[in-house]
């Protein structure tokens, strides 16, 4: 399983200024749905707030380009939920509209000041493909965690985003992490870094291992505290997570007053070269690929996130959001597909499972919605790393069965609560 | 502008490349030398059994799947592999109808009536073999079946041991299948093929090693009881290990994916118990030639129970 190890860094981060049409969904991880605060036809400046919500955990959204609002509509985001969108056409001309920089030491600032600034500057969890609920929240009523972990490595093979960000601006990542620690009130700050980058950070570090899924947040958090989410409950009280890019954004938001306008993304074609680019939020996938001389054609598979836990996209015109860590293209010939067949009991999934789940029995129950039985086989221990589906001899879509069962379980729980 | 039609699927987007067809064809490929030695010894007699067995197994699978209305899955090679294994367990020269009955029993009674691959509680090959062995014992006896083939004489390895003729079973003849017996008697080649399967991670190695361990222990504890009473000769454990389909059992029959457990400890116990039981039946039982077959079949019945022996999942303290 050589493929499942993380590769060394490829290049410097390329800036891709972008111009033309941007699509910005008004939904982001950790925030309630935002309200657009611009109208169709309005002129917007670079950095102007275009979406906001008054709930205390919601980070605002800003226009990455100077231009005109073309449309307000709804679309399915690449994380798979329907959300309102703002469509902007413009270019990167002009200065970025910034907030007032704050220069006091982190120790002198109050948690509230930092929190408000992060919210106003749009610092919501960056990366994680929009689905990691373990990220630190800015809710003031939440109990402060014991540890704030800064993940300076990427969860999956192929992805290189976080390590590049750390290499580019280590001092900003450290500064931002300190500010974020202040905002959430964590007692300890831990940097999770890969072995070749330990010299870039200071303070408490956790060296992450080379092999998937040992950089999975759940596994890293368990390594840190000795406890898994199942025993700790959700949200966890012992450890919260942000990644290097979020920390850097926090630093820029406080020290420079600069809102989050771009996202760093690893872009590549399977089997070919990948590069790390920084693009304005809302840039369309097709544009990002075009810049690399790539094009999605009929039968290809385009996915955001990593190759094991990512999300396949149906529309090459989808936008890059704050959650997009990776963007990859698999050419038609190499696309692997699952089959709707029976489990033959080869036991490979049982061997590979990092959580020691009897995956063969569990997924057989998941497939047919037998949630109680699936729970007896430790459905709730699963961290959805996807390794079982990777090794499955029958080529069953095991991760889908698991996600389906978890959703059904969630629905049943909601029904029970409302009854 | 025409819109792109992309392939959309659930994650992961990578796969290790493992597959049912891959496993079946690798297993058949490594068994080819074994079959070749069988054909060398018994000529067209062995070739006929091999061809008829594989053919009728595939026919039975296709017919049954058509009747039930399921997709025909001959392409995954599992029916062909069942046929090949069954043929290697049969002596050359058995009547053609016996081969057909055995193959149909294996695929239909052993596999398809439960819902096909993945659902059968017992190893299909073994079900087919047991069916004809119990029903037509005389025809299945290698000494009888081979009587009308030229240039062969003597006793099968196990029959010789039971009779106390230790000198009639030299190790090198046992290795290469030179003694009369089933077509797949070249057990050294079976072992080599099995090691290839281990290296390619096609089979459950815990089951294989557990099985060999069980056979060895049985050998040490009561192996010499196989000789007639009063005999003061001793049995070479290696002869026991390489005769009577032990190698086929260890690497190709016992690790059958569906009928064996999947939890690490359960796999060891399963293999070990099957090996020990195989020796008990060989030494003390009436169907001593089928010790391996009956041993594995009986322990398969306990397989779902054994699979309950599993570690606590992480996070479940």
């Amino acid at each position: 399983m050589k493929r499942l190890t993380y590769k060394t860094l490829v290049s410097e981060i390329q800036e891709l200024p972008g111009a033309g049409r941007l699509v910005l969904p008004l939904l982001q991880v950790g925030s309630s749905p935002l309200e657009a605060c611009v109208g169709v036809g309005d002129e917007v400046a670079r950095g102007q707030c275009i979406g906001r919500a008054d709930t205390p955990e919601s980070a605002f959204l800003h226009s990455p380009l100077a231009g005109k609002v073309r449309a307000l509509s709804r679309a399915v985001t690449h994380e798979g939920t329907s959300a309102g969108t703002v469509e902007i056409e413009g270019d990167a001309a002009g200065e970025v509209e910034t907030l007032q920089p704050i220069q006091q030491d982190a120790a002198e600032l109050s948690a509230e000041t930092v929190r408000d600034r992060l919210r106003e500057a749009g610092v919501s969890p960056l990366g994680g493909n929009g689905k990691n609920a373990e990220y630190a929240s800015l809710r003031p009523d939440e109990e402060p965690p014991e540890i704030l972990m800064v993940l300076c490595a990427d969860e999956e093979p192929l992805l290189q985003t976080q390590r590049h960000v750390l290499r580019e601006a280590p001092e900003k990542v450290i500064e931002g992490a300190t500010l974020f620690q202040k905002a959430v009130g964590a007692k300890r700050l831990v940097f999770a870094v890969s072995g070749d980058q330990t010299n870039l950070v200071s303070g408490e570090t956790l060296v992450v291992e080379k092999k998937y899924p040992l950089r999975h947040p759940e596994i890293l958090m368990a390594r840190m505290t000795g406890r898994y989410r199942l025993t700790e409950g959700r949200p966890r009280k012992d450890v919260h997570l942000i990644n290097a890019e979020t920390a850097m954004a926090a630093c820029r938001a406080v020290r420079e007053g600069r809102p989050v306008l771009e996202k760093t993304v690893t872009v590549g074609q399977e089997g070919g070269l990948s590069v790390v680019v920084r693009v304005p939020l809302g840039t369309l996938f097709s544009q990002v690929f075009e810049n690399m001389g790539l094009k999605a054609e009929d039968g290809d598979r385009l996915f955001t996130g990593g190759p094991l836990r990512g999300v396949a996209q149906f529309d090459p015109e989808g936008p890059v959001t704050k959650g997009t860590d990776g963007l990859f293209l698999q050419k038609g010939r190499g696309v692997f597909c699952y089959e709707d067949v029976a489990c033959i009991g080869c036991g490979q999934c049982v061997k590979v499972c990092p959580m020691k789940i009897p995956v063969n029995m569990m997924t057989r129950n998941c497939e047919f919605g037998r949630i109680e039985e699936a729970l007896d086989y430790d459905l709730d221990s699963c961290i959805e790393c996807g390794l079982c589906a990777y090794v499955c001899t029958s080529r069953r879509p095991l991760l889908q069965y698991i996600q389906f069962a978890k959703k059904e379980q969630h629905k049943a729980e909601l029904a029970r609560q409302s009854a | 502008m025409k819109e792109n039609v992309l392939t959309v699927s659930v994650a992961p987007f990578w796969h290790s490349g493992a597959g049912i067809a891959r496993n079946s064809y690798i297993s058949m490929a490594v068994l080819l030398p074994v079959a070749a030695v069988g054909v060398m010894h018994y000529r067209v007699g062995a070739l006929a059994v091999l061809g008829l067995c594989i053919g009728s197994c595939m026919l039975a699978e296709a017919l049954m799947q058509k009747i039930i209305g399921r997709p025909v899955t001959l392409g995954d090679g599992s029916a062909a592999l069942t046929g090949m294994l069954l043929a290697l367990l049969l002596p050359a020269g058995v009547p053609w109808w016996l081969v057909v009955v055995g193959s149909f029993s294996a695929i239909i009674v052993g596999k398809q009536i439960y819902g096909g691959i993945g659902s059968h509680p017992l190893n299909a090959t073994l079900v087919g073999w047991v069916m004809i062995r119990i029903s037509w014992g005389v025809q299945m006896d290698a000494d009888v079946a081979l009587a009308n083939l030229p240039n062969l004489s003597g006793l099968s390895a196990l029959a010789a041991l039971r009779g106390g003729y230790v000198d009639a079973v030299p190790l090198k003849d046992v290795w290469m299948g030179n003694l009369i017996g089933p077509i797949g008697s070249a057990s050294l080649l079976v072992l080599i093929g099995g090691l290839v399967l281990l290296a390619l991670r096609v089979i459950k190695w815990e089951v294989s090693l557990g099985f060999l361990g069980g056979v060895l222990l049985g050998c040490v504890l009561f192996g010499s009881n196989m000789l007639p009473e009063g005999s003061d000769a001793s049995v070479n454990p290696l002869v026991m290990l390489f005769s009577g389909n032990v190698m086929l059992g260890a690497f190709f029959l016992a690790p059958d994916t569906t009928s064996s457990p999947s939890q690490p400890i359960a796999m060891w116990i399963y293999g070990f118990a099957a090996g020990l039981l195989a020796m008990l039946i060989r030494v003390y039982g009436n169907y001593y030639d089928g010790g391996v077959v009956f041993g594995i079949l009986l322990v398969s019945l306990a397989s779902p129970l054994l699979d309950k022996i599993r570690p606590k999942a992480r996070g479940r303290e």
Side-chain angles (χ1 to χ4, degrees), chain A residues 3 228 231 270 296 298-301 303 307-308 310 312-313 330 336 338 343-346 348 351 354-356 358 360 376 378 380-381 386 389-393 395, chain B residues 2-20 23 117-118 201 204-206 257-258 262-263 267 308 310-317:
Chain A
R3 282 176 107 182
Y228 284 91
T231 31
E270 172 117 24
D298 286 1
D300 292 355
R301 182 158 53 196
F303 60 88
L308 287 129
Q313 300 300 319
Q330 275 180 325
F336 154 80
Y338 294 96
C343 167
I344 60 161
C346 68
Q348 294 291 336
K351 263 183 207 165
M355 305 302 281
K356 297 190 184 175
N360 54 345
D376 287 343
D378 302 319
D380 46 2
S381 281
Y390 175 80
V391 298
C392 182
T393 304
R395 310 191 165 183
Chain B
K2 190 183 145 286
E3 277 194 35
N4 279 151
V5 183
L6 298 180
T7 304
V8 177
S9 81
V10 290
F13 308 117
W14 279 358
H15 192 269
S16 64
I20 302 174
N23 287 1
I117 189 166
R201 301 189 197 193
K204 300 172 175 172
W205 60 271
E206 292 93 338
T257 55
T258 307
S262 298
Q263 293 293 338
M267 287 192 279
K308 301 263 176 212
R310 58 182 171 97
K312 264 192 182 143
R314 293 246 161 81
R316 219 174 246 298
E317 275 81 36

